[in-house]
Amino acid sequence: MYSNKIEGPRRGRSFDSMNIALEEKLLNNEINKSTFTKIEENTEKKNTPEKGRAAIIFSLKNEVGGLVKALKLFQENHVNLVHIESRKSKRRNSEFEIFVDCDSNHEQLNEIIQLLRKHVNIVDLEPPDNSCLLEEDMDNVPWFPKKIADLDKCANRVLMYGSDLDADHPGFKDNVYRKRRKYFADLAMGYRHGDPISRIEFTEEEVKTWGVVYRELNKLYPTHACREYLKNLPLLAKHCECREDNIPQLEDVSRFLRERTGFTIRPVAGYLSPRDFLAGLAFRVFHCTQYVRHSSDPLYTPEPDTCHELLGHVPLLAEPSFAQFSQEIGLASLGASDDAVQKLATCYFFTVEFGLCKQEGKLRAYGAGLLSSISELKHALSGNARIMPFDPKATSKQECIITTFQDVYFVSDSFEEAKVKMREFAKTIKRPFTVRYNPYTQSVDVLRDTPSINSVVEELRHELDIVGDALSRLNKQLGV
């Protein structure tokens, strides 16, 4: 729940292996004579020019010992070799190219290039300034969580509501309700990653309020909700006991989502900033309230409550394509500027909260704000609402309204279409790096230099090998 106010180890490249026994023998002899300096043992003096990562690709001239001579130049000029690989030449099939990843400043690089030309043909090079992100560039990047446990640092930065209510809130003058809200807020503020979510004994009044919302919304779902929602809602009843007379426990919901899409639930006390809320999505964590709206008006709430979260968001967070769409918005927000985050949050608002899609030629709702609001759900699909195609560039400039119906709703043909458009939009966000979620460690890999990108390429090659093996086995079964 967010407020729309702005408030490993490095792996080398995997090229085809090179079989030149004579060169390897000579190279091993050279290494036995003298050891190249390891990068971690480098203790340069403070007045030494600042180094960066440089990549050089060269092909060998037709002479014995060419590789040994070339590599020895790096040693003699005190250039640390981080990685060496070989590959078949893309220019001449009969030749091999050597890739060398090294630590070097401009002066050293220019000098060694001149020396190398006597023994090799330089194919390509990436100078230090282009090969890695300078640390001072990272100093200008807003802080963002790098691992899922880092959400503990931002999940409690509640901007509004929580245990405090505005004077126009339905429960402002109800001391019993205000005390109950403080109870929920305290539970959320005390939560830490890895803790089980507290199981709540809801009051009779809270269950009654939930029941009214549940019953009235379920009358509309068959004709107003998208097919993915209708498919997953019964699963919520089956696995989490989501019924008119029972409010599901967040711990059960979190376990259900983890098995479906890898999403988990984290309790939150109230509104978070767009940056903090979207950061959770990057780790497939959905910040979710546990409190129930005031009973005086079951069909209205000034802020998202557990009725909105469970009936609006959860069924679609159980849908893989929608879960991926949500996470990608979160990943795009990490380290982005305030302006970029606000644009992403606005796109989130008009898709995940108030989005429409076309199915069988008819408009259907997939936004949680619509699927948890009886009056606005009717309005959005009444034929009287203003509907426009979803275009992130235009949508991000639209005003978000939280007190009345939206002035306009945006429609996509499918989640996949919306996801592709958001991916393209995310590429326009200015960041000196990109990020990739690592599901094994529940962390984000910051891709900002050659080694970090190579690591991803290596993993992708492995995944493609698996796909290739599967296709090969399938072809054998089919007799192809």
Side-chain angles (χ1 to χ4, degrees):
M1 179 175 73
Y2 78 92
S3 168
N4 64 343
K5 298 180 180 179
I6 294 189
E7 301 268 318
R10 181 171 56 245
R11 299 182 181 89
R13 297 185 184 179
S14 178
F15 293 127
D16 294 328
S17 60
M18 178 179 178
N19 183 20
I20 43 177
L22 179 58
E23 291 284 10
E24 290 180 353
K25 183 176 180 180
L26 291 171
L27 179 59
N28 288 334
N29 290 338
E30 260 329 294
I31 293 176
N32 288 334
K33 293 177 182 178
S34 59
T35 304
F36 285 98
T37 305
K38 294 182 180 179
I39 183 172
E40 59 268 24
E41 295 173 348
N42 184 7
T43 55
E44 293 291 329
K45 295 180 180 180
K46 292 183 179 180
N47 59 355
T48 301
E50 185 177 355
K51 293 186 176 184
R53 190 63 54 77
I56 305 174
I57 302 175
F58 57 84
S59 62
L60 299 173
K61 291 184 177 180
N62 189 21
E63 62 175 355
V64 177
L67 178 58
V68 173
K69 293 176 183 178
L71 296 181
K72 192 172 182 179
L73 290 174
F74 289 90
Q75 178 194 8
E76 293 173 345
N77 286 272
H78 307 290
V79 176
N80 293 328
L81 299 182
V82 179
H83 189 75
I84 308 170
E85 286 195 20
S86 62
R87 67 180 182 186
K88 288 183 179 180
S89 174
K90 296 179 180 179
R91 295 160 179 79
R92 296 182 181 178
N93 292 331
S94 61
E95 290 185 358
F96 285 90
E97 293 175 351
I98 308 300
F99 167 81
V100 175
D101 197 4
C102 61
D103 271 355
S104 175
N105 56 46
H106 282 291
E107 183 178 342
Q108 284 180 315
L109 184 63
N110 291 333
E111 182 177 353
I112 202 165
I113 288 296
Q114 296 304 318
L115 294 172
L116 279 171
R117 292 189 188 280
K118 299 177 182 179
H119 305 283
V120 304
N121 297 315
I122 303 297
V123 175
D124 193 15
L125 65 91
E126 298 176 8
D129 286 346
N130 294 331
S131 60
C132 67
L133 179 66
L134 297 176
E135 288 304 317
E136 51 263 35
D137 289 338
M138 286 299 289
D139 291 340
N140 298 323
V141 173
W143 177 90
F144 61 91
K146 308 294 193 308
K147 54 186 179 181
I148 194 170
D150 287 345
L151 294 178
D152 288 344
K153 301 176 183 178
C154 56
N156 290 338
R157 298 193 293 216
V158 179
L159 297 182
M160 53 193 299
Y161 294 117
S163 59
D164 297 322
L165 305 178
D166 288 343
D168 59 351
H169 192 285
F172 180 75
K173 297 181 180 180
D174 186 339
N175 290 329
V176 174
Y177 182 78
R178 291 172 67 93
K179 184 178 180 180
R180 184 66 167 168
R181 286 289 295 265
K182 185 179 185 306
Y183 167 74
F184 284 112
D186 290 344
L187 286 178
M189 298 293 277
Y191 180 86
R192 294 295 179 270
H193 170 68
D195 293 346
I197 303 175
S198 298
R199 304 188 82 84
I200 305 299
E201 185 175 344
F202 290 100
T203 66
E204 182 178 343
E205 185 176 33
E206 288 168 338
V207 174
K208 182 179 179 181
T209 300
W210 157 272
V212 172
V213 178
Y214 182 96
R215 183 173 59 255
E216 294 303 316
L217 283 171
N218 270 270
K219 293 177 182 178
L220 296 176
Y221 288 154
T223 54
H224 288 67
C226 66
R227 72 170 73 93
E228 292 83 359
Y229 183 93
L230 296 176
K231 177 184 71 174
N232 290 321
L233 184 61
L235 298 179
L236 194 60
K238 178 180 179 181
H239 298 283
C240 305
E241 298 186 47
C242 180
R243 307 186 305 269
E244 181 179 338
D245 62 349
N246 185 71
I247 304 175
Q249 297 292 332
L250 292 192
E251 179 66 21
D252 297 337
V253 174
S254 187
R255 187 182 303 111
F256 165 69
L257 288 179
R258 185 186 296 112
E259 294 176 356
R260 295 284 298 177
T261 61
F263 254 89
T264 57
I265 296 295
R266 180 178 179 125
V268 67
Y271 274 116
L272 296 177
S273 71
R275 184 180 297 280
D276 290 340
F277 178 82
L278 295 181
L281 296 180
F283 297 86
R284 297 211 170 201
V285 172
F286 185 76
H287 290 87
C288 186
T289 57
Q290 282 185 291
Y291 55 80
V292 180
R293 63 192 64 183
H294 195 262
S295 60
S296 61
D297 191 354
L299 303 185
Y300 168 76
T301 176
E303 85 273 53
D305 69 334
T306 199
C307 300
H308 166 79
E309 316 282 35
L310 296 177
L311 294 175
H313 283 288
V314 170
L316 282 171
L317 286 174
E319 185 66 27
S321 60
F322 184 84
Q324 182 69 24
F325 173 72
S326 300
Q327 183 184 29
E328 290 193 12
I329 296 179
L331 288 169
S333 76
L334 298 181
S337 66
D338 288 343
D339 180 64
V341 169
Q342 188 60 28
K343 289 179 178 179
L344 289 168
T346 301
C347 287
Y348 177 92
F349 185 86
F350 283 107
T351 53
V352 179
E353 291 289 354
F354 290 94
L356 298 175
C357 61
K358 290 182 180 178
Q359 294 182 344
E360 285 81 42
K362 298 180 180 179
L363 285 179
R364 291 291 182 263
Y366 70 87
L370 295 175
L371 292 167
S372 60
S373 171
I374 296 168
S375 57
E376 190 156 12
L377 181 57
K378 290 179 179 178
H379 167 72
L381 273 65
S382 66
N384 298 321
R386 183 184 172 203
I387 309 294
M388 293 181 62
F390 174 61
D391 173 15
K393 187 175 181 180
T395 303
S396 64
K397 300 175 183 178
Q398 183 66 34
E399 180 185 2
C400 303
I401 302 174
I402 59 174
T403 55
T404 61
F405 296 159
Q406 302 304 311
D407 290 335
V408 61
Y409 300 91
F410 294 90
V411 60
S412 300
D413 287 337
S414 66
F415 298 145
E416 288 301 319
E417 180 196 60
K419 185 164 60 178
V420 169
K421 289 183 178 181
M422 279 304 304
R423 281 178 180 168
E424 292 304 310
F425 182 68
K427 292 177 183 178
T428 67
I429 294 175
K430 295 182 179 179
R431 288 187 301 186
F433 59 89
T434 190
V435 295
R436 172 177 177 266
Y437 180 64
N438 186 327
Y440 305 110
T441 60
Q442 292 185 298
S443 62
V444 290
D445 299 326
V446 179
L447 308 182
R448 57 175 181 167
D449 53 23
T450 304
S452 60
I453 296 173
N454 286 341
S455 178
V456 175
V457 172
E458 180 72 12
E459 292 183 20
L460 291 176
R461 286 180 186 274
H462 174 66
E463 296 296 326
L464 288 174
D465 284 343
I466 295 175
V467 174
D469 179 59
L471 289 173
S472 176
R473 293 172 186 271
L474 180 59
N475 287 338
K476 289 180 180 179
Q477 292 178 7
L478 298 176
V480 179

